[in-house]
Amino acid sequence: MPELPEVEVVRRGVRPHVVGRRIVSEAVSGQRLRCFPSRRMLRETLRGRRFEAVERRAKYLLFVMDNGAVLVLHLGMTGRLGIFRADDTIARHDHLRLLLDNGMELRFNDQRRFGSVQLFASAKELNIFFAPLGPEPFSEQFSAPYLAAKGAKKNQPVKNFLMDGRVVTGIGNIYASEILFKAKIDPRTPAARLSPAKWKRIVESCREVLARAIEQGGSSIINFVDLSGNSGYFQNELLVYGRGDEPCAVCGKRVQRIVQAGRSTFFCNKCQR
DNA sequence: CTGTTAACCTGAGTGC
DNA sequence: TGCACTCAGGTTAACA
């Protein structure tokens, strides 16, 4: 589920609940996630530590602790974070619970277990892990010339190119379709065939679509909710995603659904060339 | 190297 | 009520 906007909404929601608080104890489900630190590692690194900051890189949430360690969460497709009272009922798929020094508990729930939990001892270790990642969409480095250079020899469809975290981070299956609709570019176009002007439209559309989605609290397609359990609103503004066979909002022609690299892509073959 | 497929999981929805 | 099947916001190893 969560792409950049949803992860950013979660970050903004969780930050005021944890920064300045100390971790009293940790509890885990024992269920297998994509990555999960050992109980011992969790205890030794986190117990008694205070949260100093909550940051985001790509679709990862970074909890920076006062000992320099960083707890890194990835929400996968169905991951959620919530703040609960310690005596609130534990839900199915609550995989990590961190009891805070104010009696509240930060809980990470992930139904499909595609999410991950990682611990890094320092920012240096973290940087090694993040080294392969491309730039953030809102960074200066992310520009039309950058994309043109990166895509110069790629025959890969531009939609899949944009979803590659080594190219640019945070764009997933929903926003890739929305961004290309806004930029009026056919998602099947090989990256190498895009003109500088089209790359420029892509960069602008990325920023506009993602910024608007953050403003609207993200998109709730199946189960995304923020820290307070509220849905986002951006799903109401999705122009093509999930609208196969519906009329295009701009020209009225039917929106197409195709499959690219195993994922659904939605687009208007009249508006997007 | 490049690009696609399958696999990792659970659960909701559909059609019979 | 049940069964078989499809699909879902991500990532990544394996494959051609």
Side-chain angles (χ1 to χ4, degrees):
Chain A
M1 157 233 117
E3 304 181 34
L4 186 151
E6 291 75 32
V7 178
E8 181 60 24
V9 166
V10 170
R11 184 187 76 84
R12 293 177 187 186
V14 74
R15 186 173 48 175
H17 291 283
V18 300
V19 169
R21 302 256 71 95
R22 272 183 200 281
I23 294 174
V24 174
S25 63
E26 337 71 40
V28 304
S29 68
Q31 290 278 27
R32 193 174 175 79
L33 272 75
R34 199 152 47 85
C35 307
F36 207 90
S38 67
R39 285 163 199 259
R40 181 180 164 183
M41 177 85 165
L42 281 169
R43 183 178 67 244
E44 289 180 355
T45 312
L46 296 181
R47 193 171 293 183
R49 302 326 321 172
R50 199 179 61 236
F51 288 93
E52 285 200 332
V54 184
E55 289 160 16
R56 180 190 60 73
R57 172 80 171 101
K59 297 170 189 167
Y60 295 91
L61 280 169
L62 281 48
F63 295 86
V64 184
M65 311 307 297
D66 65 352
N67 56 352
V70 187
L71 171 69
V72 176
L73 300 187
H74 193 291
L75 303 178
M77 292 273 244
T78 50
R80 295 178 179 194
L81 274 187
I83 295 284
F84 297 85
R85 289 170 36 143
D87 58 1
D88 281 342
T89 313
I90 297 163
R92 193 161 149 76
H93 308 301
D94 276 348
H95 301 300
L96 178 64
R97 290 179 288 131
L98 298 176
L99 179 63
L100 308 178
D101 59 3
N102 60 352
M104 302 299 279
E105 206 165 65
L106 176 64
R107 297 183 182 177
F108 174 54
N109 180 288
D110 183 11
Q111 176 185 109
R112 288 176 73 182
R113 311 212 298 267
F114 288 171
S116 68
V117 178
Q118 285 165 283
L119 270 177
F120 295 91
S122 66
K124 191 179 171 187
E125 267 190 40
L126 187 67
N127 288 338
I128 294 168
F129 176 70
F130 283 150
L133 294 182
E136 291 286 322
F138 294 107
S139 71
E140 232 174 89
Q141 207 200 326
F142 180 64
S143 66
Y146 164 80
L147 285 177
K150 198 90 178 165
K153 288 172 186 161
K154 302 225 182 223
N155 197 39
Q156 189 183 31
V158 63
K159 189 246 190 176
N160 304 316
F161 179 75
L162 289 178
M163 287 176 66
D164 184 343
R166 294 165 302 182
V167 174
V168 56
T169 58
I171 297 172
N173 205 39
I174 294 181
Y175 295 105
S177 281
E178 292 299 312
I179 286 163
L180 290 170
F181 177 75
K182 178 144 202 165
K184 298 187 184 300
I185 289 161
D186 189 321
R188 298 167 296 187
T189 315
R193 295 239 317 270
L194 289 165
S195 64
K198 287 186 175 180
W199 283 125
K200 188 158 179 274
R201 295 215 302 271
I202 287 175
V203 169
E204 286 164 0
S205 299
C206 279
R207 293 184 175 142
E208 285 166 16
V209 169
L210 297 173
R212 175 66 183 163
I214 293 169
E215 234 177 71
Q216 292 299 296
S219 297
S220 298
I221 299 297
I222 295 173
N223 68 351
F224 172 71
V225 289
D226 65 14
L227 262 284
S228 314
N230 298 316
S231 293
Y233 294 96
F234 194 74
Q235 68 276 10
N236 304 319
E237 297 185 22
L238 296 175
L239 297 176
V240 287
Y241 183 84
R243 296 190 182 279
D245 279 347
E246 290 180 36
C248 166
V250 172
C251 75
K253 199 164 176 232
R254 297 221 172 279
V255 171
Q256 310 284 305
R257 174 188 180 272
I258 58 171
V259 174
Q260 293 182 288
R263 318 293 303 277
S264 292
T265 301
F266 298 88
F267 71 110
C268 170
N269 64 6
K270 188 175 176 197
C271 293
Q272 295 173 256
R273 298 279 175 182

